């Protein structure tokens, strides 16, 4: 565990195969490192420095982009442009990734908790590593005295180099696909019929990466690709990532309020997202 005075506290859990690094700002998974090959699975920024806890001085997209460091965020109570809902201002990509969470950790498990301010929701995020897989159990609890509407996007961004030239296959039969764009390039796809499953081969590892999630809670999926395409400020061509993003609704603004999910007073909603590696010859 390490931290700076204002920067993120960092916690590491590991197995013989994977080392997972988690920060308390946003409960962001900053790294999933394949120990045997020395290859990083997640995209990361190639500049020095650490993010600071949000002081809410700037809720816009540019501020987020300047601080973007890759990895795996959770976006609750909404994702996308800043919104004003019921007189409350919500920052770009929501409050959760900007806040400092309370963290408990052990050898293979981290539990992070935060109470949001923009909506009366408590988020409990449990991250565990098992051999060659990482599971993320996210629970949302309504602490208020009335119903709360919200959106939810899991935002893992994989290393573009690791996925170079590959096909992302979605669905139970892996029969829906989109291709990773070459670098430099960019793209965004809203995948219909993902059914909570995505497969992609990783030739550099000789493995298949499987990403699975609860499709009842997160029925949609976005593929966001930034492969050193943005040559201007603030990235200057230094970000190379492919986001595979389980989501509560199609891309763009939610049709109503912050999102489609509604929690009544005292209610809760939970979903699991799991990333795992398997031998390439074992993929369907």
């Amino acid at each position: 565990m390490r931290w700076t005075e204002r920067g993120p506290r960092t916690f590491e859990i590991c197995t013989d195969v994977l080392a997972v690094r988690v920060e308390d700002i946003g409960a962001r998974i900053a790294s999933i490192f394949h120990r045997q090959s020395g290859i990083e699975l997640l995209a990361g920024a190639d500049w020095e420095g650490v993010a600071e806890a949000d002081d809410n001085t700037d809720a816009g997209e540019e501020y987020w982009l300047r601080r973007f460091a890759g990895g795996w965020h959770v976006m609750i109570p909404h994702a996308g442009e800043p919104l004003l809902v019921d007189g409350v201002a919500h920052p770009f990509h929501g409050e959760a990734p900007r806040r400092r969470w309370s963290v408990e950790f052990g050898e293979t498990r981290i539990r992070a908790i935060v109470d949001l301010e923009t909506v009366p929701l408590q988020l409990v995020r449990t991250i565990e590593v098992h051999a060659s897989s990482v599971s993320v159990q996210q629970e949302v609890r309504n602490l208020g005295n009335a119903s709360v509407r919200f959106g939810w996007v899991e935002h893992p961004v994989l290393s573009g180099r690791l996925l170079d030239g590959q096909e992302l296959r979605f669905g139970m039969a892996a029969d829906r696909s989109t291709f990773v764009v070459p670098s430099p390039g960019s793209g965004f796809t809203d995948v219909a019929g993902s059914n909570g499953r995505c497969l992609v081969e990783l030739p550099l590892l000789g493995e298949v990466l499987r990403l699975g999630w609860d499709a009842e809670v997160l029925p949609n999926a976005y593929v966001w690709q930034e492969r050193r395409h943005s040559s201007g400020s603030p990235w200057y061509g230094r970000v190379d990532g492919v986001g595979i993003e389980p989501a509560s609704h199609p891309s763009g603004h939610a049709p109503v309020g912050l999102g489609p999910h509604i929690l009544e007073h005292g209610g809760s909603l939970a979903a699991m997202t799991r990333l795992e590696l398997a031998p390439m010859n074992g993929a369907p």
Side-chain angles (χ1 to χ4, degrees):
M1 179 177 67
R2 59 184 175 85
W3 63 86
T4 63
E5 184 177 352
R6 293 192 63 195
R9 295 175 175 86
T10 303
F11 307 83
E12 186 171 275
I13 53 178
C14 60
T15 65
D16 291 340
V17 180
L18 298 176
V20 177
R21 182 159 48 86
V22 178
E23 296 178 348
D24 66 343
I25 296 179
R28 179 178 80 101
I29 301 179
S31 172
I32 302 177
F33 184 73
H34 190 261
R35 302 176 71 181
Q36 296 164 329
S37 67
I39 291 176
E40 173 62 47
L41 272 62
L42 298 181
D46 63 358
W47 49 83
E48 294 298 325
V50 293
E52 297 176 350
D54 192 7
D55 57 9
N56 293 317
T57 57
D58 191 333
E61 180 178 5
E62 184 179 355
Y63 186 57
W64 169 274
L65 296 180
R66 288 201 309 268
R67 291 157 44 109
F68 179 75
W72 181 342
H73 294 86
V74 59
M75 295 172 178
I76 294 174
H78 89 290
E81 298 297 323
L83 294 176
L84 184 66
V85 177
D86 296 330
V88 178
H90 297 267
F92 182 81
H93 277 343
E95 181 187 351
R98 296 167 173 256
R99 292 285 304 281
R100 191 183 295 275
W101 298 44
S102 299
V103 176
E104 302 171 354
F105 76 105
E107 184 177 351
T108 60
R109 180 178 181 270
I110 285 174
R111 186 172 184 263
I113 302 176
V114 69
D115 291 356
L116 301 183
E117 296 176 346
T118 55
V119 286
L121 296 178
Q122 181 180 78
L123 310 182
V124 181
R125 192 166 179 83
T126 303
I127 300 165
E128 296 187 77
V129 58
H130 311 271
S132 58
S133 71
V134 180
S135 65
V136 178
Q137 172 81 8
Q138 178 66 62
E139 183 180 5
V140 184
R141 301 170 178 172
N142 182 0
L143 303 182
N145 59 4
S147 63
V148 177
R149 179 182 286 273
F150 67 97
W152 178 349
V153 175
E154 293 288 337
H155 197 273
V157 182
L158 302 174
S159 164
R161 179 180 76 93
L162 189 61
L163 273 61
D164 202 23
Q166 297 307 302
E167 179 184 12
L168 305 174
R169 293 179 287 156
F170 292 87
M172 297 304 294
D175 56 351
R176 299 173 183 267
S177 66
T178 188
F179 287 89
V180 175
V181 300
S183 176
S186 67
F188 186 90
T189 306
D190 199 331
V191 180
S194 61
N195 291 310
R197 180 168 174 162
C198 179
L199 302 176
V200 59
E201 294 184 354
L202 307 178
L204 289 178
L205 293 181
E207 306 255 24
V208 169
L209 184 147
R210 296 185 176 121
L211 189 70
W213 62 93
D214 186 343
E216 292 187 3
V217 178
L218 304 170
N220 293 86
Y222 316 147
V223 177
W224 171 71
Q225 302 192 59
E226 170 53 49
R227 303 219 54 212
R228 302 190 180 276
H229 174 76
S230 298
S231 58
S233 174
W235 290 347
Y236 301 102
R238 294 180 294 174
V239 173
D240 186 4
V242 177
I244 304 171
E245 307 170 20
S248 59
H249 57 282
S251 59
H253 288 308
V256 180
L258 293 169
H261 290 310
I262 300 175
L263 277 184
E264 302 300 330
H265 163 65
S268 66
L269 180 66
M272 174 78 78
T273 305
R274 182 181 177 89
L275 180 155
E276 61 181 332
L277 299 176
M280 194 174 290
N281 58 12

